[in-house]
Amino acid sequence: MDSKHPRNPTRSLLLNHARRLFAERGFSAVSMRDIARSVGLQQSSIYNHFDSKQSILIELLRGHMLTLNQCRNDWLSDEVSATEQLIAFTQFHVAYHIDFPDDVFIAYMELRSLEPDNRKALVRLRDEYELSLQAIVQQGVTAGEFQCVDVAVHTRAIIAMLTGVTVWYRHDGRLDKDTVIHSYVTAALQSLGIPANDVAHQHELKKVKHV
Amino acid sequence: MDSKHPRNPTRSLLLNHARRLFAERGFSAVSMRDIARSVGLQQSSIYNHFDSKQSILIELLRGHMLTLNQCRNDWLSDEVSATEQLIAFTQFHVAYHIDFPDDVFIAYMELRSLEPDNRKALVRLRDEYELSLQAIVQQGVTAGEFQCVDVAVHTRAIIAMLTGVTVWYRHDGRLDKDTVIHSYVTAALQSLGIPANDVAHQHELKKVKHV
DNA sequence: ATAGTAAACGAACGGTCGTTCGTATGATAA
DNA sequence: TTATCATACGAACGACCGTTCGTTTACTAT
């Protein structure tokens, strides 16, 4: 079945519409008929491209998690100071979450809709990402650059703070993307006790690319 | 129908079990049969206590939002400095969210499952709560106590950071509640440019009471 | 031209959904 | 004792669910 190939246009269309619908209404509240209708197909035709409803969700979640980790690794370098790494991480994380809010929302909410084995694999990817920030925070604390009460708690606090951008950011809103990113970089740095006045604008923003 | 009174024990049981199920699986993924079974009733008997599935959700969400605002107002005083208000807000917010994670999770996820009128009323309550923190941040910036790039963005950043505690906190975990709260107070203060070493432990924690 | 195949269709499957209805029970109040 | 009423039951309603099936369509390679 050639249709299983990612480049298949109908298959991509189905994935994109499923992503939007799952993000809007939640996995359980979206039917195969809803997905089919939104791309102009009969519900049965979806099964030429996917084995089941759950397999659509799995592919969306796995694609998001793999892309997130890969982009992060492309973006960050571990050969600079913890402060510079934190700035780069924050810029990347906020930019990515502004660009792909639906993926983020589905990943946050619908992990529980997965069967245990699939869920475990994705939780591992999520933990890998979180631990990559925790390593930066730990490095900064050890080097005396950062101040915090507990590294693990503070890491989760920063990730939650940054991820929250998906809830309110609108492209036609009051602030442009760079200003928003600048705000979050300042907040993240300061939260670890770094005065952010001087460093925040030194780093140019590269473009996040979704694979 | 006396059963509509909140003190009715069966009705309270239904509300509590519905809350847990909605938080675990999501509103759409929970059936009236699931709720009935979990309290040992037939599905039809629920309609002696609630008009519809949606009305159960409304009551859970409204109860949460009203309680949250009321407790906040009981807890906070506006006759102290912005820094002290921020400490009190953070202590309250984290303590409340640790104690009632199911309510918080449902409120975050299931507003969209409501009909427009009901949703608007609850969004207003949520905005009221958020604006109460924004007022504190604005006051601190004006007084020169706080430093941030944008008051609205930073307010949302702090709320997201604090609310994230619900995702990972466990009562039998590595850290006790007070330590967790202390971590978040430090993070919130420092994020606004306040050195947190000296102030974090001055304020005793009062007990959050759910009405 | 013809055989093979990916992909679409539309009907149908058994099951579950939220909700309604008529009835039975058991406590309370007259 | 009797009338009332909140509450429980169990069957049933029409609608929708995810998925399967047999068939048709349309392109591709021989």
Side-chain angles (χ1 to χ4, degrees):
Chain A
M1 212 189 296
D2 187 47
S3 61
K4 291 288 173 75
H5 193 281
R7 294 272 173 240
N8 182 295
T10 303
R11 186 184 159 87
S12 296
L13 213 56
L14 283 166
L15 273 178
N16 290 335
H17 283 250
R19 179 183 0 248
R20 188 173 45 79
L21 288 170
F22 289 165
E24 268 176 22
R25 308 181 204 166
F27 179 75
S28 299
V30 175
S31 70
M32 294 297 261
R33 287 158 178 84
D34 291 331
I35 301 172
R37 192 180 308 117
S38 78
V39 306
L41 288 181
Q42 293 296 319
Q43 64 261 29
S44 53
S45 303
I46 299 181
Y47 292 87
N48 288 320
H49 303 276
F50 297 94
D51 290 336
S52 64
K53 189 186 175 189
Q54 170 122 179
S55 76
I56 301 178
L57 179 60
I58 292 173
E59 184 152 332
L60 287 173
L61 291 174
R62 197 199 310 276
H64 163 63
M65 280 312 211
L66 290 175
T67 304
L68 183 68
N69 273 292
Q70 184 181 317
C71 287
R72 192 215 86 96
N73 292 335
D74 293 346
W75 184 284
L76 265 73
S77 159
D78 55 1
E79 297 172 351
V80 295
S81 71
T83 300
E84 286 175 290
Q85 286 185 63
L86 179 67
I87 293 171
F89 180 93
T90 302
Q91 289 174 336
F92 163 74
H93 188 95
V94 175
Y96 190 96
H97 281 61
I98 281 179
D99 287 344
F100 310 106
D102 286 351
D103 279 321
V104 171
F105 199 61
I106 296 172
Y108 179 72
M109 293 206 346
E110 304 297 356
L111 275 183
R112 66 181 172 190
S113 301
L114 259 43
E115 290 143 9
D117 285 353
N118 294 321
R119 180 167 58 242
K120 281 179 191 168
L122 288 166
V123 167
R124 195 174 311 123
L125 287 174
R126 193 230 286 152
D127 290 347
E128 179 186 331
Y129 184 76
E130 178 181 310
L131 287 175
S132 81
L133 175 59
Q134 183 164 325
I136 296 173
V137 175
Q138 181 61 64
Q139 182 179 330
V141 168
T142 303
E145 299 176 44
F146 299 159
Q147 290 172 30
C148 70
V149 175
D150 185 273
V151 168
V153 172
H154 208 109
T155 299
R156 295 189 187 107
I158 290 178
I159 285 192
M161 176 175 74
L162 304 181
T163 302
V165 72
T166 57
V167 175
W168 61 268
Y169 182 84
R170 297 291 173 266
H171 284 91
D172 57 353
R174 178 172 62 90
L175 302 171
D176 65 12
K177 195 171 153 184
D178 285 353
T179 306
V180 171
I181 291 174
H182 178 214
S183 293
Y184 279 104
V185 168
T186 301
L189 282 173
Q190 290 189 157
S191 81
L192 284 161
I194 305 278
N197 319 29
D198 36 11
V199 281
H201 259 317
Q202 286 177 9
H203 293 260
E204 63 176 321
L205 294 176
K206 287 168 265 177
K207 192 82 179 173
V208 175
K209 178 121 169 290
H210 202 187
V211 291
Chain B
M1 209 190 297
D2 187 49
S3 61
K4 291 289 173 74
H5 193 282
R7 293 275 174 237
N8 181 296
T10 303
R11 185 183 161 87
S12 297
L13 213 56
L14 283 166
L15 273 178
N16 289 336
H17 284 249
R19 176 177 11 241
R20 188 174 45 78
L21 289 170
F22 289 165
E24 267 176 21
R25 307 180 205 167
F27 179 74
S28 299
V30 175
S31 71
M32 294 296 262
R33 286 158 178 85
D34 291 332
I35 301 171
R37 192 179 309 116
S38 79
V39 307
L41 287 182
Q42 293 296 319
Q43 64 261 28
S44 54
S45 302
I46 299 180
Y47 292 86
N48 288 320
H49 302 278
F50 298 94
D51 290 335
S52 64
K53 190 186 175 190
Q54 170 123 178
S55 75
I56 301 178
L57 179 59
I58 292 173
E59 184 151 333
L60 286 174
L61 291 175
R62 197 200 310 276
H64 164 63
M65 280 315 226
L66 290 174
T67 304
L68 183 67
N69 273 292
Q70 183 180 317
C71 288
R72 193 216 85 97
N73 292 335
D74 292 346
W75 185 284
L76 264 71
S77 159
D78 54 1
E79 297 172 351
V80 296
S81 71
T83 300
E84 285 175 291
Q85 286 185 63
L86 179 68
I87 293 171
F89 180 94
T90 302
Q91 290 174 336
F92 162 74
H93 187 96
V94 175
Y96 191 96
H97 281 62
I98 281 180
D99 287 344
F100 310 106
D102 287 349
D103 279 321
V104 171
F105 198 62
I106 296 172
Y108 177 71
M109 293 207 344
E110 303 297 357
L111 275 183
R112 64 180 173 192
S113 302
L114 258 43
E115 288 143 11
D117 285 353
N118 294 321
R119 181 167 58 241
K120 280 179 192 168
L122 288 166
V123 167
R124 195 175 310 124
L125 286 173
R126 194 229 288 152
D127 289 347
E128 178 186 331
Y129 184 76
E130 178 181 311
L131 286 175
S132 82
L133 175 59
Q134 184 164 325
I136 296 173
V137 175
Q138 181 61 63
Q139 181 178 330
V141 168
T142 303
E145 297 176 46
F146 299 159
Q147 289 172 31
C148 70
V149 175
D150 185 271
V151 169
V153 173
H154 208 110
T155 299
R156 295 188 187 108
I158 291 177
I159 286 192
M161 176 175 75
L162 304 181
T163 302
V165 72
T166 57
V167 175
W168 61 268
Y169 182 84
R170 298 291 172 268
H171 283 92
D172 56 354
R174 178 172 62 90
L175 301 171
D176 65 13
K177 195 171 153 184
D178 286 353
T179 306
V180 171
I181 292 175
H182 177 214
S183 294
Y184 279 105
V185 168
T186 301
L189 283 172
Q190 290 189 157
S191 81
L192 283 161
I194 305 277
N197 319 28
D198 36 12
V199 281
H201 259 318
Q202 286 179 9
H203 294 257
E204 64 176 320
L205 294 177
K206 287 169 264 177
K207 192 82 179 172
V208 175
K209 178 120 168 290
H210 203 187
V211 291

